[in-house]
Amino acid sequence: MFARKGRGEQFATREERDDWIRGEMKIVEEQLESKQIQVLELSKEQQACQEQFVEVEATLERRKEERMELEKQMEKNELSLRQSIVKKADVSGKFTDVSQNVNMMRQTKEELTEEERNLGYKLKTIPGLKQVLAGQASIIKVLDTNKRLLDGYYGMVINLFSCPDQMFTAVDETAGMKLFNHVVETDKIATELMAELNRRKLPGVFNFMPLNRIRPRQFDYSMVDGQDAFPIIEKLEYEEDLEGIISFVFGKTLVCRNMDTVVRLARSSKLDCITLDGEKGSSKGVLSGGYVSLERNKMANYDRYQLAVGKLGDVTTEIEHYEGEMVKLEQEMVFMTKEVEKFQNLLAKNEGSLSKLIADCKMMMESGEDLKKKCVEEEQRLGEMTTDRKLMEATLSGLRTELDVDMNSQLSLEEKNLCEVLVKKIEKTKSGYKKRIREKDELEREKFAIESKMVGMRKDEEELCSEVSKLGKRDREVEKAKLDLDNVTEQMVKEKERLAVAMAKECKLDEEVKSLQSEEERKEKKLSKLKETLGEDSMNKEKLFEKKIHLQKSIQKLSQKVNSLGGVQPEMLERYKNAKRTLLGKELQKINQKLKDFDNVNKKALEQFVTFTEENERLVDRLNQMTEDKTRILNMINVLDTKKSEQILYTFKQLYKNFKQMFSRIVPGGRGELILTGETVGLTDADRMESATGLTTSVSFTGDQAMKNLDQLSGGQKSVVALAFILAIQQCDPAPFYLFDEVDAALDIEHRRAIAAVIHGQAGDAQFITTTFRPEMLRHADQCFGVLFRGKASHVVPVTREEAENFVQESAIQK
């Protein structure tokens, strides 16, 4: 209205005004169109910004949920980690305990091994037992590979029964080497065992007792009263099916209280008798005895040896058991270590993910704040543009209205009233606007202050989060330290318990030492008293000995007088029992006067007749017994001679075969034989062996020449024959090792190669030590040693094969 009023003064005509209005309208329409486009674009941008803000808010919520879920997962992993650490510590403690037990048992095993070695050595020093024990080891080797023979083998006699310790001497003296005979079910099994032992060439002495060949006798123990003697078999514990063997070995022996009982029962019962100290009396009247040392007792030593072997086996079994447990615990420790590492890696990974999530949340929160500010700013701009657009529309509407109105510079009354109302309203609106502007400024200041506080709170939140994370790590470290402390405390408790046990053991040992010391002092005092008493007794003994000698002389004189009197009738003894000595002397003089008439008569003829008759009967019995013993011994000699001849013949055949094969191996195309010397024409093999006076060789080095004896050979050929003979013996009866000193010195190269090959082939069963200056021996040697002369002394040092070959070549060049 003010503009219309002013344009009445500005334009002279309506047409000028309308043209100007149309121009203004065109400008306003263009601006309005542009403003509408801007409003539309800004609305789209605002909507996109709001959608992006909503999306960021949603993503932030998801990240927060993921963070919470990750924190819960970390708590679970921390709990699992603590449990795994506890289990690992528990397994580690068990492993330590088992390891300590194993170490203690290994120490015990070493002590038992040393004890078993010493006892075994001591047992082997007893005459005859070394080869017997070697035979036992050989039989065990055979039985380990043959179950059928194992089923028919019972073991040695000494392993088939048990007895009290005080019976060891009696049992040992009764059985002797029969204790180490091998009990088998049948003689067939014994034969098969011997064949296998010979085939393998295993060492040892073997004596077999087949159950099917043993025929034990039945002995009558009815005259044994049980107080002074008892059958030794009653004190032995054994299985019922072995009664025949035990009766065969021990059935004929009685254990007696003393030697007098041994003499009495050996005569009356026709059984062998023995005391617990080893004094024996046979049924044939032979007595033997004396001090028997338990240190040389086969039964006692073997029992101690078997006890040590049993303890060693038990300890070895326990060690194997605990070592198996250690392997399991070690595997469990490895598994628990992997579990701990797995949970630690998961925690580290989750901490990284949590840090990344916290950073993402922080970045999204900052991005959300930026988007929120942007949305507010765009909303303000959109409001301003909308206001400008409305003003433009109002301006355009006023111009259009003015275009239809006539040009008039004066306002109507209605317009004036309206103008006054609008002016007042404008004033009121301005004052309201100013008030809103002031409120807006205050709100913006409050908003800025709140935003500043929020920034500070976000920093505080970040610091608190980092502090919480650090506290979580610290808590985990504290938990780990607590677990370590618990483990150390538990170990300390165990060590304290062990220390208490050790201290108690030490106190007990101290008490025992004090007790032993007091006992030793008491024994020393008693010993000094006994020495004093012994000195006094020695003096009394000398006096009594002198008195004894004097009394013995008196008894001898009186005995001579009694013997001179001849036999005395019992009636005379009863008659003169209470007579006085003087009366007896007078009677004796009268009788001596009467006896002078009978000086030429043998007064002891009757007594001598009785005595000689008894002696004759005793000598006849002894003659018959000795005749039987002689027959039995001669039969035994014949059997042994037969076995000896058979064994010698068997050995000669084996040696003959081995020498023939060995000579053909050393001398390809050659022939060699062993020949018995002596009268051998027309005799059997056994008679030839009996009549043989020696052994010689007959060889041919080409095979087509005549056979030559040893005297017709050269020095090198004699060496070849001697080596073939030694190696043939080695196949029959292997020795542990052989020492050859330059045996190839006189041999040509073909024979040296053949000898080296044969020695290498037989080195699997024995050790060969050779000295040589020839290269052929070196090619098959397992170890070479050089003998060097340094500082006026010889030194033996290990050398390589190349060094040995160079040494031999240099020696050959020098020669």
Side-chain angles (χ1 to χ4, degrees):
M1 286 185 291
F2 287 132
R4 190 170 64 247
K5 180 180 179 182
R7 278 191 286 275
E9 297 175 356
Q10 182 181 0
F11 300 103
T13 63
R14 181 178 179 178
E15 287 79 9
E16 289 179 2
R17 185 200 67 178
D18 292 341
D19 291 337
W20 179 84
I21 289 174
R22 289 189 184 95
E24 286 295 324
M25 287 176 63
K26 186 176 181 182
I27 292 170
V28 171
E29 286 177 353
E30 290 176 356
Q31 291 178 351
L32 181 60
E33 185 178 359
S34 175
K35 187 64 69 174
Q36 286 178 347
I37 292 171
Q38 289 180 0
V39 168
L40 184 60
E41 290 177 354
L42 191 59
S43 299
K44 290 181 180 179
E45 289 179 2
Q46 184 188 15
Q47 185 177 0
C49 184
Q50 289 178 349
E51 291 176 355
Q52 191 175 359
F53 177 74
V54 171
E55 184 178 355
V56 169
E57 288 289 332
T59 304
L60 181 61
E61 289 297 326
R62 288 197 300 273
R63 289 288 186 271
K64 288 181 178 179
E65 291 177 358
E66 290 178 1
R67 177 179 174 181
M68 293 174 64
E69 186 67 27
L70 190 59
E71 288 176 348
K72 292 180 180 179
Q73 186 67 32
M74 286 178 66
E75 290 179 358
K76 292 181 180 178
N77 290 338
E78 287 177 358
L79 180 61
S80 300
L81 177 61
R82 288 195 293 270
Q83 292 176 351
S84 299
I85 292 174
V86 171
K87 290 182 181 178
K88 181 182 176 182
D90 187 25
V91 174
S92 178
K94 291 181 180 178
F95 181 82
T96 303
D97 294 339
V98 174
S99 178
Q100 290 177 352
N101 290 334
V102 169
N103 291 333
M104 292 174 61
M105 287 185 180
R106 283 174 179 167
Q107 185 177 359
T108 305
K109 181 181 178 181
E110 292 177 359
E111 296 173 357
L112 289 174
T113 302
E114 183 66 22
E115 182 182 358
E116 184 263 344
R117 189 184 298 111
N118 293 335
L119 290 174
Y121 176 76
K122 187 176 181 181
L123 194 62
K124 290 178 182 178
T125 57
I126 298 176
L129 284 189
K130 183 176 181 181
Q131 292 298 322
V132 169
L133 295 176
Q136 182 190 16
S138 300
I139 286 179
I140 291 174
K141 288 182 182 178
V142 173
L143 296 176
D144 287 340
T145 57
N146 194 322
K147 189 176 184 304
R148 185 177 61 82
L149 294 178
L150 179 62
D151 294 337
Y153 179 79
Y154 290 88
M156 293 192 299
V157 174
I158 195 171
N159 295 326
L160 301 181
F161 68 92
S162 61
C163 65
D165 294 348
Q166 58 268 27
M167 296 289 297
F168 280 174
T169 302
V171 169
D172 184 59
E173 293 296 321
T174 299
M177 292 303 294
K178 288 181 182 179
L179 290 170
F180 301 95
N181 288 357
H182 300 274
V183 179
V184 294
E185 189 172 2
T186 61
D187 52 351
K188 182 179 179 182
I189 291 177
T191 304
E192 292 180 2
L193 271 173
M194 284 301 302
E196 185 67 18
L197 290 167
N198 291 329
R199 187 183 70 80
R200 297 191 186 185
K201 299 178 181 179
L202 296 175
V205 172
F206 314 95
N207 292 307
F208 292 96
M209 284 186 173
L211 291 176
N212 64 331
R213 293 287 185 177
I214 298 297
R215 297 291 182 268
R217 292 168 53 192
Q218 297 295 327
F219 299 98
D220 184 14
Y221 303 124
S222 59
M223 75 292 297
V224 180
D225 56 5
Q227 295 181 353
D228 294 332
F230 58 86
I232 192 173
I233 197 171
E234 291 183 356
K235 300 297 181 180
L236 306 182
E237 296 180 1
Y238 52 88
E239 296 182 2
E240 292 183 0
D241 54 348
L242 299 173
E243 186 174 2
I245 285 291
I246 303 300
S247 178
F248 177 77
V249 177
F250 299 102
K252 195 181 176 182
T253 303
L254 301 176
V255 178
C256 300
R257 182 185 299 275
N258 49 41
M259 199 62 189
D260 294 336
T261 309
V262 168
V263 174
R264 177 171 57 82
L265 289 179
R267 290 177 179 176
S268 61
S269 64
K270 302 299 181 181
L271 298 175
D272 296 335
C273 298
I274 190 170
T275 65
L276 292 176
D277 295 329
E279 298 172 327
K280 295 188 294 184
S282 70
S283 58
K284 300 174 183 178
V286 179
L287 300 178
S288 62
Y291 174 71
V292 180
S293 174
L294 281 177
E295 296 296 323
R296 308 296 294 173
N297 187 288
K298 297 184 286 295
M299 185 74 184
N301 281 284
Y302 188 81
D303 184 71
R304 288 196 292 267
Y305 175 73
Q306 288 296 105
L307 184 62
V309 170
K311 289 182 179 178
L312 182 61
D314 294 339
V315 171
T316 303
T317 303
E318 289 184 5
I319 289 176
E320 291 175 354
H321 171 70
Y322 281 118
E323 284 179 346
E325 285 190 2
M326 285 180 64
V327 172
K328 293 179 181 178
L329 289 173
E330 192 170 1
Q331 293 175 353
E332 192 171 353
M333 282 181 63
V334 171
F335 174 75
M336 296 309 301
T337 302
K338 290 180 179 179
E339 286 291 313
V340 170
E341 291 177 354
K342 182 181 78 173
F343 287 122
Q344 287 176 346
N345 293 331
L346 282 175
L347 279 175
K349 183 179 178 182
N350 290 336
E351 286 178 356
S353 301
L354 183 61
S355 300
K356 186 177 179 182
L357 281 175
I358 292 172
D360 291 344
C361 289
K362 182 179 178 182
M363 185 178 66
M364 287 181 180
M365 288 175 67
E366 292 176 353
S367 177
E369 291 294 331
D370 293 339
L371 288 173
K372 188 176 181 182
K373 290 179 180 179
K374 186 177 178 181
C375 288
V376 172
E377 290 175 356
E378 288 180 353
E379 187 175 356
Q380 290 177 354
R381 285 177 57 196
L382 182 60
E384 291 174 356
M385 286 185 175
T386 303
T387 304
D388 292 341
R389 188 193 65 183
K390 289 180 179 180
L391 290 175
M392 287 179 183
E393 288 178 352
T395 303
L396 183 62
S397 177
L399 290 175
R400 285 176 182 169
T401 304
E402 187 180 355
L403 187 62
D404 296 333
V405 177
D406 292 336
M407 183 176 170
N408 188 6
S409 59
Q410 297 294 326
L411 296 174
S412 64
L413 181 60
E414 183 179 355
E415 288 176 345
K416 287 180 180 181
N417 294 330
L418 181 60
C419 184
E420 289 177 359
V421 172
L422 289 176
V423 169
K424 291 178 180 179
K425 191 174 182 179
I426 287 171
E427 290 296 333
K428 186 178 180 181
T429 302
K430 284 181 179 181
S431 62
Y433 175 72
K434 289 178 181 180
K435 184 179 179 182
R436 294 292 184 274
I437 288 296
R438 287 194 298 270
E439 291 178 355
K440 176 186 174 185
D441 293 337
E442 291 177 359
L443 290 173
E444 285 181 352
R445 284 194 296 272
E446 291 179 2
K447 175 185 175 185
F448 180 75
I450 292 171
E451 287 178 349
S452 300
K453 289 181 180 179
M454 288 181 66
V455 171
M457 292 175 69
R458 286 197 184 96
K459 291 181 179 179
D460 293 340
E461 182 185 8
E462 292 175 359
E463 292 177 356
L464 289 173
C465 287
S466 62
E467 188 68 25
V468 167
S469 178
K470 291 179 181 178
L471 289 174
K473 292 182 179 178
R474 196 172 299 167
D475 289 339
R476 289 194 293 274
E477 292 175 357
V478 170
E479 289 292 334
K480 186 177 179 182
K482 285 182 179 179
L483 291 175
D484 294 338
L485 179 61
D486 292 339
N487 293 331
V488 172
T489 305
E490 186 177 354
Q491 291 178 1
M492 286 181 64
V493 170
K494 291 181 180 178
E495 292 299 329
K496 286 181 179 179
E497 292 177 355
R498 292 196 186 98
L499 181 61
V501 172
M503 291 178 68
K505 190 174 181 181
E506 183 181 4
C507 293
K508 185 177 180 181
L509 290 174
D510 290 338
E511 291 177 358
E512 290 180 358
V513 168
K514 291 179 181 178
S515 175
L516 291 174
Q517 287 176 349
S518 61
E519 183 70 18
E520 182 183 6
E521 293 175 357
R522 189 174 62 80
K523 294 287 185 183
E524 287 178 352
K525 292 179 180 178
K526 187 175 181 181
L527 180 61
S528 62
K529 291 180 180 179
L530 289 174
K531 285 181 179 178
E532 294 176 358
T533 307
L534 183 61
E536 296 175 357
D537 291 343
S538 298
M539 296 174 64
N540 295 330
K541 180 181 177 183
E542 292 177 359
K543 294 178 180 179
L544 291 173
F545 186 70
E546 293 176 357
K547 188 175 181 181
K548 178 182 176 182
I549 293 174
H550 177 69
L551 293 174
Q552 284 178 346
K553 290 180 180 179
S554 300
I555 291 172
Q556 187 176 4
K557 291 179 180 179
L558 293 173
S559 297
Q560 290 176 356
K561 291 180 180 180
V562 170
N563 291 332
S564 64
L565 294 175
V568 181
Q569 296 179 358
E571 295 82 2
M572 296 293 291
L573 290 174
E574 188 65 27
R575 179 180 175 184
Y576 295 104
K577 181 177 180 180
N578 298 319
K580 295 183 179 179
R581 188 169 181 176
T582 55
L583 178 62
L584 291 175
K586 292 178 180 180
E587 290 292 330
L588 181 60
Q589 290 177 0
K590 292 179 182 179
I591 292 171
N592 286 333
Q593 290 294 329
K594 292 179 181 180
L595 287 175
K596 287 181 180 179
D597 298 333
F598 302 96
D599 286 339
N600 297 326
V601 177
N602 185 5
K603 305 176 184 64
K604 298 182 180 180
L606 180 61
E607 295 178 1
Q608 290 177 354
F609 175 77
V610 174
T611 303
F612 291 154
T613 302
E614 292 178 353
E615 183 68 17
N616 181 53
E617 292 176 356
R618 188 178 64 81
L619 290 175
V620 169
D621 292 339
R622 188 170 181 182
L623 176 63
N624 295 332
Q625 184 177 357
M626 293 179 69
T627 303
E628 292 177 0
D629 292 342
K630 178 182 178 182
T631 304
R632 187 166 61 254
I633 291 170
L634 290 174
N635 292 334
M636 179 64 71
I637 291 173
N638 292 332
V639 171
L640 293 176
D641 287 340
T642 303
K643 288 185 178 181
K644 180 191 71 174
S645 301
E646 291 176 354
Q647 187 64 34
I648 293 174
L649 179 60
Y650 173 77
T651 304
F652 172 72
K653 288 182 178 179
Q654 290 294 109
L655 188 61
Y656 179 87
K657 176 183 175 183
N658 294 338
F659 178 79
K660 187 174 182 180
Q661 293 176 351
M662 190 59 63
F663 189 82
S664 62
R665 288 177 63 186
I666 297 175
V667 184
R671 293 185 294 113
E673 295 179 350
L674 292 177
I675 300 174
L676 294 172
T677 59
E679 295 296 332
T680 59
V681 179
L683 300 177
T684 62
D685 291 340
D687 294 336
R688 286 174 59 199
M689 292 302 301
E690 288 293 332
S691 61
T693 59
L695 189 68
T696 187
T697 60
S698 179
V699 297
S700 173
F701 279 80
T702 59
D704 53 357
Q705 294 180 352
M707 303 290 282
K708 299 179 181 180
N709 58 25
L710 196 62
D711 296 334
Q712 297 173 329
L713 301 178
S714 64
Q717 290 175 335
K718 289 180 179 179
S719 298
V720 172
V721 173
L723 285 171
F725 184 72
I726 291 172
L727 294 173
I729 293 174
Q730 193 257 348
Q731 288 185 336
C732 292
D733 186 13
F737 71 92
Y738 296 85
L739 178 62
F740 291 158
D741 185 14
E742 294 190 46
V743 295
D744 56 350
L747 305 183
D748 54 18
I749 188 169
E750 291 81 5
H751 292 156
R752 289 201 298 270
R753 289 175 180 169
I755 290 293
V758 170
I759 290 177
H760 179 68
Q762 295 187 200
D765 299 327
Q767 184 181 16
F768 287 84
I769 303 172
T770 64
T771 62
T772 182
F773 284 95
R774 304 296 183 180
E776 288 76 20
M777 286 288 185
L778 301 177
R779 294 172 185 165
H780 299 290
D782 296 323
Q783 180 67 47
C784 298
F785 295 89
V787 182
L788 307 178
F789 189 75
R790 294 175 182 171
K792 297 182 181 181
S794 298
H795 299 275
V796 180
V797 295
V799 296
T800 62
R801 195 187 304 277
E802 292 77 10
E803 291 174 345
E805 290 177 351
N806 294 334
F807 179 78
V808 170
Q809 291 176 1
E810 290 175 1
S811 300
I813 292 172
Q814 291 175 3
K815 291 181 179 180

